[in-house]
């Protein structure tokens, strides 16, 4: 029997309360950079810890969470309580900023400068 291998992707966990339009913009930004992403809608308690867990399980070492209006991007090699990006009032931001956050998550994987 062959072991299960996860396909390389950024793991994006969104709470059921997350705004679908904000989720789409983040996904668009990731897609523009050409990096695969797996989205899962699930109940989230602590978005920072959930983002760290997502990054720890992601083959690409990057995890994203969105709960209410708080977006968190975490990298597996950072301390669990210190995400790379933590944006409150995220859905109030411009569409460009929302998309740029997705691009930044993908750029972390690629090792290129952030927007």
């Amino acid at each position: 029997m062959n072991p299960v291998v996860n396909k390389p992707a950024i793991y994006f966990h969104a709470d059921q309360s997350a705004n679908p339009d904000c989720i789409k913009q983040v996904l668009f930004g990731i897609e523009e950079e050409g990096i695969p992403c797996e989205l899962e809608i699930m109940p989230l308690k602590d978005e920072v810890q959930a983002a760290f867990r997502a990054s720890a399980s992601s083959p690409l070492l990057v995890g994203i969470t969105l709960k209410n209006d708080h977006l968190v991007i975490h990298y597996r090699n950072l301390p669990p309580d210190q995400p790379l990006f933590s944006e409150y009032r995220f859905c109030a931001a411009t569409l460009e900023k929302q998309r740029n956050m997705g691009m930044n998550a993908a750029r972390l994987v690629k090792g290129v400068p952030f927007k």
Side-chain angles (χ1 to χ4, degrees):
M1 178 175 210
N2 292 330
V4 175
V5 178
N6 294 335
K7 85 173 192 180
I10 292 172
Y11 288 177
F12 185 176
H13 297 164
D15 191 75
Q16 294 137 332
S17 66
N19 182 322
D21 294 327
C22 295
I23 293 171
K24 285 180 192 174
Q25 291 304 316
V26 174
L27 291 172
F28 290 157
I30 294 169
E31 182 181 349
E32 283 181 30
E33 293 291 329
I35 301 295
C37 183
E38 294 288 325
L39 172 65
E40 187 173 349
I41 307 296
M42 62 174 52
L44 298 176
K45 292 182 182 174
D46 180 328
E47 49 272 30
V48 172
Q49 291 302 314
F52 179 75
R53 284 192 304 275
S55 71
S57 59
S58 166
L60 297 180
L61 314 180
V62 177
I64 303 172
T65 56
L66 180 61
K67 181 178 180 182
N68 298 324
D69 211 11
H70 184 203
L71 179 93
V72 178
I73 299 175
H74 221 307
Y75 182 59
R76 182 186 303 175
N77 296 333
L78 293 176
D81 61 342
Q82 295 178 17
L84 183 63
F85 294 106
S86 178
E87 290 286 328
Y88 289 93
R89 296 179 30 101
F90 177 71
C91 292
T94 64
L95 294 178
E96 180 182 14
K97 179 163 184 166
Q98 292 175 10
R99 192 170 288 192
N100 282 348
M101 291 305 287
M103 292 173 89
N104 285 339
R107 286 169 170 243
L108 177 60
V109 171
K110 293 166 67 172
V112 298
F114 299 127
K115 285 208 162 238

